[in-house]
Amino acid sequence: MIEAQVAYSKLEAVSREMGERFQRISRSPLIAQDRAFAAAVMTSDMELAAQHQLEAGHLFALKESVAALFDYFSFDIAEGDILLTADPYSGGTQAQTITMAAPLFYEGELILFPVLRAQMADMSGEYPGGFHPDAFEVWQESVRVTPLKLYKQGVKQRDLWNFLLANTRAPSVLEADLEAMHACLQTAQKQLLQLNGQIPAEKMENYLEEIFQYTRQQALRELPSELEPAGQASVSFQADGEPLAVAVTIQQIEDGLHLDFSGTSVQTNAPFNMTRASAKAYAVWPLIAALKEEPSLNEGLLSAFTFTLPEGSLVSPNLPAATAFSGIITGHFTAEAVMAACHDFEGTRDIDPVHGPGPQAVLFPPIGTEREIEPLFLIPGYPRSPEGMGPPALFGGRRLVSAEELEVHYGFRMTSREWKEEDGGMAVSIQNDGQDVMMNILMPEAANRYYGHVERTMENPFTFTRSAAEERFGTGEEVTFYYPGKGGAADESK
Amino acid sequence: MAVGEEAGPWVIGVDVGGTFTDVVAVDPRGNMVTTKTPSTPDQSDGVVDGIEKVAEKAGGTLSGMLSACPLIVHGTTVATNTLLEYQGAKTGLLTTEGFRDEIEFRRAYKESVFSARLQSPYQIVPRRFRIGIPERLDQEGNVLTELDENAVRQALREFQKEGIEAVAVSFLFSFVNSEHEQRVYELVQEEAPEMFVSLSHEVLPQIREFERVSTTVVNAYTGPGMQSYLNHLETRLRGHQFEGELFVMQSNGGVQNVVQSGKFAAGGLLSGPAGGVTAASFIGARSGHPNLITVDMGGTSYDVSVIENLEPTVTTESWISRYRVALPMMDIHTVGSGGGSIAWIDNGGALQVGPKSAGAVPGPACYAQGGTEPTVTDVNVFLGYINPGHFLGGEMKLDADLAEKAIRTNIAEPLGLSTVEAALAISEIVNNDMSNAVRFVTTQRGFDPRSFSLLAMGGAGAIHAGRQAEDLGINTVVIPLQAPVFSALGDVAANLKVTELKTRFERLQDIDLEGMNADFEKMEKTAREKLGGGDVVRQFEAHRYVAMRYAGEVHEVTVPVRSRTKRITALNMEATLSDFHALHERLYAHKDLSQDVEILNLSLDLIGVRERLPMEEEAFAAEDPAPAKIGERNMYFSEEPAIVPFYDGSWLQPGNLIEGPGVIEQWGTTIVVYPNQEALIDAYRNCVIEVKQMESGLQTGWNT
């Protein structure tokens, strides 16, 4: 086990360094600031060897997207190929998220290889950024990029490259991020080749088996195992007024936890549907957050969970159901349902509930006015974590935008960002000092619980309590984002 | 050697650490006297004791040495301890109305994104002492809302009532226009002149309000204590006839006078480790190793830094005691692996080492102070690397039986291993953790560790360095003669240095060179006013840097400006741009010549170059180290024991060559020369170990 630990720490370092390098050189703030990406090393058996990620959604999707790529190309993969997909229905989660894999060969055999998965700034669809509150089919959110080879034996496929850049409103951003992904994968490939020279593939395989087993056992030791009878919960929320529910039953089985989502609402004509990979990730993430020690994200951890995801439901929709809000809204309620089902378990009792990121907006100039549009994904505050500090686990590794940078780079003046006196939540006010822009507002909504709201003041005052599309944010107007707190006034004593 | 005609006047370096205060005194002929003395609660006691000790070693008296001493450079933990222990001044914050919680939001940064249980850091400025003041500037520095002076006065009176000792002032866009902050300073002088004032445009005149407010608050919190300590120390030294200048080591690797060090205490955080890196650069220059990875293994931590072409790498992304300090500081990466790190078995049956440490009390089991858990030091004693009778030069006796028992009962027996297997496993894990830290630091900066030498310092660094070098593919390990007092050596070797910063946001294609030159000129003028030290400075050097990034990137890369004159020309900027692309590619394996580049910040280092520290080369003696051999003992490099010679380091001569395996024991440091390695004592009495490399490709010093 000791040799396996030492070898595995080197492998984890490859995925971590790949992620950190990517975060630093990417062009889009979605990656550099919001860390909406995952970096991983996969085995030749399509198992997840090590994954570095800060955002929940990628947990199963990276592996399942790679499986879709390998299924598609089957025996037609050669040294120097770079495979790419960006499709919720090819193992993915939501629109505009690319998975890029760099298969690696040694003496003709596929060995450990690197993969990156990241949200892009824009890949067409009806609105810049892909978040369309009224979408009912996936094409309104993004172009579907089913598996393709971006590089064939080391040669860039110019036609495909141009196709991708032709299907975005932000070609320079997308191109820079694609280049960055490719550069990081190449560096990781070199590191993995060196590691392969030190630890032969067969030996590494044995080490990984040991590590997977260890990770799985460690997770199971802490995860709810006293759910007798099975833990059950159903959480209701609303999609533009339509009531929806995520229901879950959690049961301990022979060697793991089984999460059964029977009873969850059928898929909807709104973008709240979660692909299977997405549903699994948001179901598992709060359980990981409850563990006392951060686990390694690998096959061993994933294998501790099995799922029943009824086909045609919110958690396993059929094409062409729209999915863009699956992470920021349905994922949030899925996590909340899982926590509610586990509520009597000692390990999770003190963590309640798991908030998502709360109200946010995508800002862009009026559509059709400019050839190149880089949407601004604005999450200026966060819901205050009921237990512990700072934002909740589902907020991921996002960084709040600096007020000074927002003004210098985008022309929006933040006039205030403070704890609210009434409930200890956060309120952030932003004034538009530049041209009129449009905004799509995204926020969770439930009949019996407050998850924040957005107010627009000045010329067109309005209070948004649910998601909205193409709202004008005019020159001189102010928009305030309100986030829920722990309850009670902000703490003056600490 | 006596103080008087043959030796002196002495320049003195004093570094106060957690356990010991180290002192180095050097005279113009290169005579060097060193000592270590226990650190004391009032750090000035240890400083004076230490100087007295070196004075006696040099055959003189405390007053005799101090009266002729032109310069004392001091590395102190006062500011660092104040922040680590949260024992700073009662601090208030005045900030732009609507933004008083930024210090608590931390831009949503959490040390562990996963953890739902992580608690907030201790608030060094509680919310009730954070007051928003009506005022507002825009991004160009135009006043949108006038400063409400009545609100400032009222806030200051509230602070007085609450007993606030230090006030931090941080307004939005003060780095563009500092008038409002300067006016608050005047109001403080009128209302509460006794308060320490920390102004954000002076501490960190750069864009990003959280980074600026956090650094300004830390400066206010640590400033009064630092100021009071330095005044106290200076008074004591003056009382012993000291008439020279007292400087303080800074975290940017330079030194500053007492006035500036008190005013900008945040610059003195982590000054001890910075002294060590400065010394490494000095030793690297003398011994022909311009590219170094320095590793410092102490009792609880392992610090790694990188020196490229004798220039230590610098970061502005430090977190200290969970607070952001965005000043340019030597980039020292710390992991929790030290001699006191405890080995344990987790509930899944895996062997783990650290981060929990046995600390000084009870300490490792072999200290016989009640500790029962096995530590890395216990492993080193059990494997025979540390001589239990010669720890700290024999000042402390270790109990090898207790070390063996701790490893056997806590690790070996539960895992079904022999004690030797268990000890080797612990050693392997801790070596691997440390190697991973080195890899992290080097690859993150685009370096290949194989093109560096490893310089080991700290009590246990030289025990493990040989193994790490093998793992990382590094050919050479350097253990400096002065390793036990290395930070103090850095204090005497360091130049004076002031770093000035300014945010200047523009696209390179629209660059206003006149404006940039004017900014740099102003920064240099300010730096000269701050630098002082006229009596000890031989010449001034100004180094200019531009923080650049591809348009839209969030992270910037700091690039030295290529200019031989004071004025930067278009040609100079072209060359600098070319360096930017190259550096970006080295750091991130990616460059894009066609993409727009933008400038975010300017920085200028003004360096007051001091006389070079003299060090005499010694002629090589015979190769044979036998005269220094003091015995042989059993050691374990594998499961089979080997009989290994050990040497007294103080008897080894330049030119002596030790073929591994072997151990060199000297005060405060044990050097292990592993099998297939050779150690040479060089002309400066540094120990230089050459490491036999395994077959090509077997090391994992990532070649990126």
Side-chain angles (χ1 to χ4, degrees):
Chain A
M1 179 64 182
I2 288 149
E3 285 179 357
Q5 280 175 263
V6 170
Y8 189 67
S9 74
K10 296 182 200 302
L11 206 56
E12 276 190 310
V14 175
S15 65
R16 188 184 62 234
E17 283 167 18
M18 179 171 35
E20 286 179 356
R21 182 174 286 117
F22 180 52
Q23 182 223 320
R24 285 198 170 259
I25 65 172
S26 55
R27 167 75 169 72
S28 165
L30 273 172
I31 298 156
Q33 199 156 278
D34 291 352
R35 289 139 166 94
F37 69 89
V41 175
M42 298 282 296
T43 71
S44 56
D45 294 332
M46 300 301 115
E47 289 182 320
L48 184 67
Q51 183 156 318
H52 169 80
Q53 73 175 78
L54 300 172
E55 192 185 62
H58 305 287
L59 189 60
F60 287 81
L62 182 142
K63 177 191 162 178
E64 293 183 12
S65 296
V66 172
L69 286 167
F70 275 71
D71 278 351
Y72 184 83
F73 289 106
S74 197
F75 298 103
D76 180 27
I77 298 173
E79 205 158 333
D81 286 354
I82 298 286
L83 315 178
L84 181 149
T85 180
D87 178 22
Y89 293 95
S90 299
T93 49
Q94 62 195 53
Q96 321 241 359
T97 305
I98 282 180
T99 301
M100 195 187 280
L104 183 61
F105 294 85
Y106 182 73
E107 294 179 349
E109 294 290 323
L110 182 66
I111 58 171
L112 291 166
F113 64 95
V115 184
L116 272 169
R117 186 167 196 278
Q119 189 181 341
M120 297 291 115
D122 183 81
M123 293 182 73
S124 70
E126 196 164 332
Y127 292 118
F131 290 104
H132 182 340
D134 304 320
F136 47 86
E137 59 178 14
V138 69
W139 299 284
Q140 290 170 281
E141 300 174 322
S142 170
V143 62
R144 284 180 69 202
V145 182
T146 51
L148 55 81
K149 281 188 186 178
L150 195 59
Y151 285 76
K152 266 187 194 167
Q153 296 179 39
V155 178
K156 186 192 269 188
Q157 300 305 288
R158 190 57 69 177
D159 49 350
L160 293 176
W161 189 269
N162 291 342
F163 169 79
L164 291 173
L165 298 186
N167 281 289
T168 172
R169 298 178 180 88
S172 62
V173 181
L174 181 64
E175 182 163 32
D177 286 346
L178 288 173
E179 295 277 18
M181 286 176 102
H182 183 234
C184 293
L185 288 170
Q186 284 193 310
T187 304
Q189 276 189 327
K190 285 182 195 165
Q191 293 178 337
L192 289 169
L193 270 178
Q194 285 178 0
L195 195 57
N196 187 65
Q198 188 191 34
I199 304 166
E202 205 174 310
K203 212 170 191 182
M204 183 58 100
E205 231 171 78
N206 294 335
Y207 288 157
L208 284 175
E209 266 318 301
E210 275 189 74
I211 293 294
F212 291 165
Q213 202 173 342
Y214 166 78
T215 309
R216 177 190 173 89
Q217 282 170 353
Q218 283 298 86
L220 289 174
R221 193 165 282 116
E222 277 196 57
L223 288 170
S225 58
E226 301 153 12
L227 299 163
E228 196 61 52
Q232 273 186 319
S234 177
V235 169
S236 301
F237 64 106
Q238 290 182 308
D240 203 15
E242 177 196 354
L244 295 170
V246 175
V248 64
T249 302
I250 305 180
Q251 205 165 13
Q252 192 193 3
I253 54 170
E254 192 180 342
D255 197 9
L257 283 185
H258 184 72
L259 292 89
D260 182 346
F261 285 86
S262 299
T264 296
S265 300
V266 296
Q267 69 184 68
T268 175
N269 283 334
F272 299 90
N273 307 289
M274 306 179 83
T275 64
R276 298 174 69 84
S278 190
K280 289 191 266 186
Y282 284 96
V284 165
W285 197 258
L287 296 170
I288 294 176
L291 298 178
K292 288 190 179 71
E293 298 288 334
E294 279 189 18
S296 297
L297 302 184
N298 62 31
E299 196 67 28
L301 181 74
L302 302 192
S303 70
F305 305 95
T306 53
F307 303 86
T308 297
L309 300 163
E311 206 177 318
S313 74
L314 270 187
V315 291
S316 181
N318 293 316
L319 186 72
T323 64
F325 282 41
S326 60
I328 51 176
I329 295 182
T330 320
H332 161 163
F333 291 106
T334 304
E336 203 166 307
V338 168
M339 293 309 284
C342 295
H343 196 248
D344 286 336
F345 172 67
E346 193 186 343
T348 50
R349 194 175 296 143
D350 55 341
I351 304 168
D352 165 71
V354 179
H355 285 293
Q360 51 192 286
V362 184
L363 308 182
F364 48 87
I367 295 172
T369 57
E370 293 174 24
R371 163 63 188 98
E372 177 137 8
I373 292 176
E374 184 183 350
L376 170 63
F377 296 83
L378 188 61
I379 312 178
Y382 56 76
R384 201 169 189 184
S385 176
E387 295 297 331
M389 67 171 282
L394 283 183
F395 194 78
R398 292 177 170 87
R399 289 283 177 278
L400 292 184
V401 65
S402 147
E404 289 172 343
E405 287 194 315
L406 188 66
E407 187 167 335
V408 168
H409 300 318
Y410 301 101
F412 298 107
R413 175 173 306 134
M414 194 181 287
T415 55
S416 168
R417 176 161 60 192
E418 279 192 357
W419 296 129
K420 288 179 287 175
E421 299 301 330
E422 52 277 23
D423 69 350
M426 198 186 286
V428 189
S429 298
I430 293 167
Q431 191 176 308
N432 184 1
D433 277 356
Q435 304 288 312
D436 285 5
V437 293
M438 310 310 290
M439 60 180 177
N440 285 3
I441 293 174
L442 332 169
M443 72 171 82
E445 178 196 357
N448 54 359
R449 189 160 189 148
Y450 175 67
Y451 291 100
H453 69 284
V454 177
E455 280 178 11
R456 182 176 59 200
T457 53
M458 311 284 179
E459 280 184 21
N460 302 299
F462 195 80
T463 298
F464 299 92
T465 55
R466 62 178 59 161
S467 302
E470 224 174 341
E471 290 289 337
R472 185 169 294 274
F473 182 12
T475 305
E477 285 187 325
E478 188 166 272
V479 168
T480 302
F481 295 75
Y482 292 93
Y483 297 86
K486 292 181 180 185
D491 193 346
E492 295 282 337
S493 64
K494 290 182 184 169
Chain B
M1 167 192 326
V3 178
E5 287 174 10
E6 297 85 3
W10 301 90
V11 169
I12 299 170
V14 189
D15 180 70
V16 180
T19 314
F20 291 105
T21 295
D22 303 337
V23 184
V24 170
V26 189
D27 79 358
R29 285 163 292 281
N31 296 310
M32 188 179 289
V33 191
T34 66
T35 195
K36 282 175 102 74
T37 188
S39 293
T40 49
D42 174 353
Q43 293 193 3
S44 71
D45 290 338
V47 173
V48 174
D49 290 350
I51 297 174
E52 187 162 26
K53 227 167 143 182
V54 289
E56 284 167 5
K57 278 176 102 171
T61 63
L62 173 63
S63 297
M65 178 174 267
L66 283 178
S67 63
C69 172
L71 176 66
I72 296 174
V73 181
H74 182 27
T76 171
T77 54
V78 166
T80 314
N81 288 350
T82 299
L83 192 55
L84 291 177
E85 294 162 11
Y86 298 129
Q87 296 288 338
K90 200 167 179 183
T91 301
L93 169 67
L94 300 180
T95 191
T96 305
E97 189 175 51
F99 291 89
R100 67 175 175 143
D101 296 319
E102 288 294 312
I103 185 81
E104 206 177 325
F105 296 157
R106 309 167 99 216
R107 294 190 71 181
Y109 173 74
K110 285 169 79 172
E111 287 81 355
S112 167
V113 171
F114 287 93
S115 175
R117 294 186 174 85
L118 188 70
Q119 293 301 307
S120 302
Y122 174 82
Q123 289 301 318
I124 61 178
V125 186
R127 193 166 199 261
R128 66 183 184 280
F129 298 150
R130 305 195 296 249
I131 298 180
I133 300 294
E135 71 83 42
R136 184 68 195 253
L137 306 174
D138 70 9
Q139 55 173 303
E140 289 167 350
N142 302 312
V143 177
L144 299 174
T145 306
E146 291 291 344
L147 177 72
D148 184 339
E149 297 193 4
N150 285 335
V152 176
R153 287 183 196 277
Q154 198 177 335
L156 290 171
R157 286 170 199 154
E158 286 296 317
F159 283 170
Q160 272 182 318
K161 269 191 235 159
E162 292 284 354
I164 292 290
E165 300 161 296
V167 57
V169 186
S170 186
F171 292 148
L172 289 178
F173 294 108
S174 64
F175 59 91
V176 185
N177 175 357
S178 60
E179 275 178 26
H180 285 181
E181 287 193 358
Q182 282 169 338
R183 180 60 189 143
V184 170
Y185 178 80
E186 290 166 5
L187 295 173
V188 176
Q189 299 317 302
E190 289 171 23
E191 295 285 338
E194 72 286 356
M195 275 184 205
F196 180 94
V197 187
S198 175
L199 304 174
S200 82
H201 76 273
E202 290 187 340
V203 175
L204 185 71
Q206 283 196 339
I207 192 167
R208 292 174 191 145
E209 66 279 6
F210 163 67
E211 285 76 358
R212 199 167 65 253
V213 73
S214 180
T215 310
T216 307
V217 162
V218 165
N219 192 60
Y221 189 69
T222 55
M226 184 75 156
Q227 215 167 45
S228 144
Y229 165 70
L230 291 175
N231 290 339
H232 170 60
L233 174 65
E234 190 168 27
T235 305
R236 288 194 65 178
L237 293 172
R238 301 283 179 225
H240 291 287
Q241 321 294 321
F242 175 59
E243 291 177 356
E245 293 202 66
L246 175 62
F247 284 114
V248 179
M249 188 73 199
Q250 305 291 302
S251 51
N252 67 0
V255 301
Q256 269 280 11
N257 63 31
V258 171
V259 174
Q260 292 295 329
S261 302
K263 190 173 175 188
F264 299 108
L269 290 162
L270 304 182
S271 70
V277 178
T278 304
S281 176
F282 170 74
I283 291 292
R286 290 304 168 91
S287 55
H289 297 97
N291 297 322
L292 288 165
I293 296 165
T294 74
V295 294
D296 182 353
M297 187 176 182
T300 55
S301 64
Y302 181 77
D303 297 338
V304 184
S305 68
V306 177
I307 295 172
E308 187 198 20
N309 286 328
L310 301 175
E311 288 292 328
T313 52
V314 168
T315 181
T316 55
E317 297 181 6
S318 302
W319 288 85
I320 303 172
S321 202
R322 304 188 71 192
Y323 278 87
R324 185 86 161 84
V325 180
L327 293 168
M329 303 174 92
M330 283 199 172
D331 191 359
I332 300 168
H333 177 67
T334 299
V335 293
S337 297
S341 296
I342 292 170
W344 54 287
I345 300 168
D346 68 20
N347 54 12
L351 177 60
Q352 310 283 355
V353 183
K356 194 179 158 202
S357 168
V361 180
C366 61
Y367 281 17
Q369 292 176 166
T372 55
E373 294 175 292
T375 66
V376 174
T377 299
D378 291 310
V379 165
N380 288 334
V381 169
F382 175 75
L383 294 175
Y385 305 161
I386 291 177
N387 181 348
H390 194 266
F391 196 61
L392 294 178
E395 287 175 20
M396 187 171 175
K397 303 289 178 205
L398 303 180
D399 189 329
D401 291 340
L402 289 177
E404 185 274 338
K405 186 181 171 193
I407 300 164
R408 177 169 45 80
T409 56
N410 290 284
I411 306 294
E413 289 174 356
L415 289 179
L417 302 172
S418 71
T419 311
V420 174
E421 286 172 327
L424 289 170
I426 295 169
S427 194
E428 186 174 356
I429 286 180
V430 80
N431 283 338
N432 184 63
D433 288 349
M434 293 190 291
S435 294
N436 280 344
V438 171
R439 259 184 223 110
F440 177 81
V441 169
T442 49
T443 58
Q444 199 184 44
R445 289 151 189 80
F447 296 125
D448 181 349
R450 290 174 297 187
S451 49
F452 285 74
S453 301
L454 194 67
L455 185 142
M457 49 183 153
I463 294 175
H464 298 266
R467 274 284 184 252
Q468 282 157 43
E470 286 175 356
D471 186 32
L472 293 162
I474 290 174
N475 290 312
T476 307
V477 178
V478 181
I479 299 108
L481 170 68
Q482 301 85 357
V485 291
F486 209 51
S487 289
L489 177 71
D491 294 344
V492 289
N495 289 318
L496 279 70
K497 184 173 173 184
V498 168
T499 302
E500 285 294 305
L501 307 163
K502 180 165 178 58
T503 287
R504 184 184 174 87
F505 184 74
E506 60 191 342
R507 288 274 170 121
L508 208 58
Q509 63 201 34
D510 308 321
I511 192 167
D512 168 13
L513 276 175
E514 288 303 310
M516 180 184 278
N517 280 316
D519 279 345
F520 271 126
E521 206 170 303
K522 202 171 159 196
M523 288 160 76
E524 185 169 344
K525 186 166 172 276
T526 311
R528 276 191 188 260
E529 286 163 10
K530 286 183 184 172
L531 192 70
D535 293 344
V536 294
V537 170
R538 190 161 51 84
Q539 68 182 67
F540 293 98
E541 285 176 8
H543 298 172
R544 289 166 287 183
Y545 304 88
V546 182
M548 306 165 96
R549 61 188 182 189
Y550 289 118
E553 271 186 350
V554 168
H555 299 282
E556 57 271 11
V557 173
T558 299
V559 190
V561 176
R562 282 227 243 157
S563 166
R564 292 178 190 281
T565 63
K566 279 200 161 191
R567 198 172 62 83
I568 299 165
T569 64
L571 205 63
N572 296 151
M573 277 318 290
E574 250 179 57
T576 307
L577 174 64
S578 158
D579 289 348
F580 164 74
H581 289 302
L583 188 57
H584 199 280
E585 187 175 32
R586 195 195 76 196
L587 287 170
Y588 308 124
H590 170 69
K591 69 177 175 186
D592 185 350
L593 300 178
S594 64
Q595 201 173 328
D596 281 351
V597 172
E598 57 194 23
I599 290 173
L600 190 68
N601 293 314
L602 310 180
S603 61
L604 177 138
D605 285 342
L606 182 69
I607 296 170
V609 181
R610 290 167 44 201
E611 286 296 332
R612 286 185 71 181
L613 193 64
M615 277 183 95
E616 292 288 324
E617 276 190 32
E618 292 184 53
F620 270 25
E623 245 182 39
D624 186 5
K629 183 175 166 185
I630 46 178
E632 291 181 337
R633 63 174 181 262
N634 266 343
M635 285 186 202
Y636 291 92
F637 298 107
S638 63
E639 286 167 37
E640 291 303 315
I643 295 176
V644 176
F646 57 103
Y647 301 86
D648 184 329
S650 63
W651 294 352
L652 287 169
Q653 299 299 315
N656 283 171
L657 186 74
I658 295 168
E659 288 181 18
V663 170
I664 301 168
E665 295 174 354
Q666 53 195 45
W667 200 99
T669 307
T670 298
I671 302 167
V672 176
V673 187
Y674 288 88
N676 296 318
Q677 299 182 356
E678 286 178 355
L680 172 77
I681 307 302
D682 77 4
Y684 300 102
R685 292 181 179 262
N686 301 312
C687 177
V688 180
I689 299 175
E690 292 302 328
V691 179
K692 182 182 175 186
Q693 293 303 309
M694 298 163 78
E695 293 299 316
S696 163
L698 294 189
Q699 295 83 30
T700 53
W702 309 129
N703 180 12
T704 56

